Amino acid sequence: MNKKMNFVQDLLPKPKARVKEGEVGRRSFIKLLTALTAGAIAMPEKSEAFSLDEFLQKHFHQMSDEEKQKTMARLEGEYNEKYSREDFSVDDTGPQAGVKYGYALNLSKCIGCRKCTHACVDENNQHRGSEEREDQVEYIRVLEMEKGSLDVEKSVHDYTHEVPAAGKYYMPVQCHHCNDAPCVKACPVEATWQEPDGIVVVDYNWCIGCRYCAAACPYWARKFNWTAPRIPDEEVNPDTHYLGNRPRYKGVMEKCTFCINRVRKGLNPACHDICPTGSRKFGNLLDKESVVRRIIDQKRIFILKEEVGTDPSFYYFFD
Amino acid sequence: MVDYLTFVFKSVRGMFSGGVRYRGWLAFLMALMAMGGFAYYRQAVHGLGVSGMGDQVSWGLYIANFTFLVGVAAAAVMMVIPGYLYHNKEVKGGVLLGEMVAIGAIVMCLLFVVADLGRPDRMWHMIPPFGKFNFPVSMLAWDVLVLNGYLLLNLHVPGYLLYKKYKGEEPAKWLYLPFVYISIVWAISIHTVTAFLYTGLAGRPYWNAAILAPRFIASAFCAGPAFIILVLEIIKGWTRFPMGERIIGFLRGVVLIAGLINIFLLISEIFTEFYADSAHVASARYLFFGLHGHNALVPWIWTSISMNVLALLALISRKFESRGVIVRNIPLLMLIVAIWIEKGMGLIFPGFIPTPLGEIVEYMPSANEWMVSLGIWGVGLFIMSILLKHAVDIETGEVKPSAK
Ligand code: SF4
Ligand code: SF4
């Protein structure tokens, strides 16, 4: 009996749920019929009403500048409404000539506090987890590693004890912005690509949600919106970039963009600034005087999973 | 033209009329479809979160079914080769039926891919010139292309042949033979490209192995013809479709040989993985023995392997061949189930476990996912049923032009 009830509940629409059971079923069924008769191609849902503009929105590369401006203005309106505010901005600040971003992370210093993970969630408007699944989206995963081993299979992901623990070191992993990126090659619709400054981005209005890129990524850096993303109004970050931290949709892929909204304006990524140990170094790989470049030239650096041949822009080093 | 339209009209009428058992079967499939449709609606509203998938195991039951069915579709070629090339008359009748099965299978493949999409409303992004098709770099773009091409080929050849048969005319060779040749090569290609989908991923050591493509083909040519034999047995038992013994015997041979090759490749794979104890071994160890106390797939894979071996032994002994229709087909049914498990639980799921960062999260499909999948099977079997019914009608002369 109990089991059967669970099964029935499993079939109910979750978020609103707990109306009388038969009623929900019947109502959904009627909705289904209406949707079918209306010939709706996209199913409307509670927070993301179907919009023809959105449906017909072109690939970022296919839009003229004018179309981009119009689209971004429309998006700002949509976001303002959705998060009940007035200050949303979506821009498309382009790459600067002569800049190629790189990241270097000092494994001797990192203490595994996960502050970067959380700062990233706040900065980049990630999904905060839904009621039915514990599925907050996080771009940075901090691995607790055995001293003396580089084998990620021996790592612990869900440690809760005080850090740093004896005999361990910590390795945060996020998108490596590969120069020969398997995710870019995999995507059947070119919804993800590498920008001239090295940042690998996703067009959230072009992605079809096939998740082939997620299967292809060797660093487990791509995160999918399994449900409609939820961000409390007061936690939303309104300063956004079209290819970066603007709020995403249900059913699309997203990932770290080195905080494209910040770095293209000359700031450092949020994870960089929050780190209490100074383990994180960010900068222009083409500039011989930059910190990252000096680290790469002078320190003992290594590339995670070098054998996969992705040529990342992300380096680890020890002091 | 008028001729052709009456042909279509009569065909459609024929497809939906038939005995009680036939109509009951169609009604059952429609019920499956309705259930699947409802479950899919639920997924469309709430997102793929209603599935058991997550960022750790990001492909599941849908892609597993897709992979299995590509094999079934490709296996239709096993009938085409001898049928058309050697003009073996008996096999020829069966070829038509094989192609009908292939059509149903490809439709299911395409539906499973669509069911797996987070944004099915953006499917047009794949259609040139409106969209942006990442061809030839993306293997998935290739796969979509070859699957649709294969569908067209399989619609054309039997459609044309049946129309000619209905008219009582000899088909013109140049209108179908070239397509037959193409579809032979094409069938291998849909399967190979699907294998490349996985083997091309350097970041997934479990898939990134050269043995995957040959194993794909071997298991497909085992399960596919087994499936077709079951269809043929039903048609033979229940209709007046002219079909000899030889075709089924021929297919049983194919099943046996492909099955043996498949087992041989499996053994080589297990040996390479475990003897060298390489880095690749984590996924395989998880699959066969469990890893750090996680072992959800272990019973499945061993069930699959035992069924595989038992069924092949039964086929080798040839003891069952002369038995009743149920008994002699049990080994085939076992093979189909075994290979279905092998493709899903054995191939797709462990590719994601552990993740590239070494995390172990297990996956089991949710009720909603099962319902959508059953619904898609309902659609595919429905299409197969009405097409097969149609072919039978024409071959037995139940649908023919009215006398002038
Ligand atoms: S780390 Fe993964 S998501 Fe990032 S560029 Fe490389 S393959 Fe793509
Ligand atoms: S999920 Fe989106 S970005 Fe990833 S491969 Fe599919 S369409 Fe491209």
Side-chain angles (χ1 to χ4, degrees), chain A residues 173-184 192-194 198-202 213-214 216-223 254-256 310-314:
Chain A
V173 185
Q174 64 209 71
C175 173
H176 279 35
H177 297 272
C178 311
N179 295 301
D180 189 359
C183 59
V184 171
T192 186
W193 66 87
Q194 188 178 35
I199 302 180
V200 175
V201 295
V202 180
C213 54
C217 172
Y219 303 99
W220 197 60
R222 305 188 69 98
K223 300 287 134 69
E254 59 179 89
K255 62 184 280 300
C256 153
T310 52
D311 188 12
S313 320
F314 199 104

Side-chain angles (χ1 to χ4, degrees), chain A residues 199-216:
Chain A
I199 302 180
V200 175
V201 295
V202 180
D203 183 340
Y204 313 121
N205 285 84
W206 194 257
C207 168
I208 57 173
C210 65
R211 310 189 298 295
Y212 191 30
C213 54

Side-chain angles (χ1 to χ4, degrees), chain B residues 67 70 121 156 174 259 305 353 361 367 397:
Chain B
T67 313
V70 169
D121 54 320
H156 168 72
W174 64 275
I305 291 179
I353 309 168
V361 172

